[in-house]
Amino acid sequence: MDASIRPVRAGEHEALGEMTAQAYLGDGLLDFGADDPYLEQLRAVGRRAAEALVLVAADSDGELLGGVTYVAPGSPWADIAGEDEAEFRMLAVSAKARGRGAGEALVRACVDRARAAGGLSGIVLSTQSSMEAAHRIYRRLGFVRTPERDWSPLPGLTLLTFRLAF
């Protein structure tokens, strides 16, 4: 992949938020479509960047290819992480950048950051059953399914969980 991974810049918050929202909408991942309340969180890059670490993949021209939110232990953005685990959320790659390795590079960056933090037992994530391309990335990088941690943020929506142990 010809891209770099770095923290999101303040001037990119809106663009990354919209890219993330469109990725989820385009893939049919929001039960209520354009009226889904989760869109607000997907677009809230400024708030996420203030409370967690938002990473982007950008090409050599600076164009954003995708982004992810890395959640350190104790962050208000943690959904399922235990006290000794990191988590990542809201992984999204623009439609035109898919298949170029941006998603995997973003996941690797989260794994590397969690390992470098020291003292953590692993990194976790939640995903929808339909996100099969992402599941392939997770498995390739050594993540394993943890069905005992699956959960439902809304009635009728069960999120699958994966964990990479350190």
Side-chain angles (χ1 to χ4, degrees):
M1 178 188 78
D2 184 24
S4 61
I5 305 298
R6 59 169 174 75
V8 69
R9 297 176 181 143
E12 298 168 329
H13 290 176
E14 186 175 337
L16 181 60
E18 194 55 34
M19 176 192 301
T20 304
Q22 291 308 314
Y24 276 66
L25 282 168
D27 289 346
L29 302 174
L30 301 172
D31 289 347
F32 304 106
D35 295 324
D36 198 296
Y38 193 54
L39 278 170
E40 179 184 338
Q41 286 192 27
L42 295 174
R43 289 182 169 126
V45 175
R47 192 173 83 225
R48 281 187 282 155
E51 300 173 341
L53 175 63
V54 178
L55 298 171
V56 296
D59 69 13
S60 58
D61 295 325
E63 182 177 353
L64 296 183
L65 306 175
V68 67
T69 300
Y70 171 82
V71 180
S75 168
W77 288 91
D79 277 334
I80 63 165
E83 291 179 12
D84 66 342
E85 295 175 317
E87 183 171 348
F88 67 88
R89 300 185 53 198
M90 301 176 195
L91 174 65
V93 175
S94 72
K96 66 181 181 178
R98 293 193 179 171
R100 295 173 47 190
E104 183 169 336
L106 287 162
V107 173
R108 284 182 184 277
C110 290
V111 170
D112 291 347
R113 182 164 293 276
R115 281 194 169 122
L120 299 181
S121 68
I123 185 168
V124 296
L125 66 103
S126 301
T127 182
Q128 292 183 27
S129 61
S130 61
M131 296 178 168
E132 294 173 4
H135 298 178
R136 285 191 294 276
I137 292 171
Y138 307 147
R139 286 188 176 98
R140 187 168 51 248
L141 296 178
F143 284 81
V144 296
R145 276 277 292 120
T146 51
E148 69 279 5
R149 293 175 81 167
D150 292 354
W151 63 291
S152 297
L154 298 169
L157 173 64
T158 298
L159 296 180
L160 310 180
T161 61
F162 283 79
R163 183 176 194 272
L164 176 64
F166 298 153

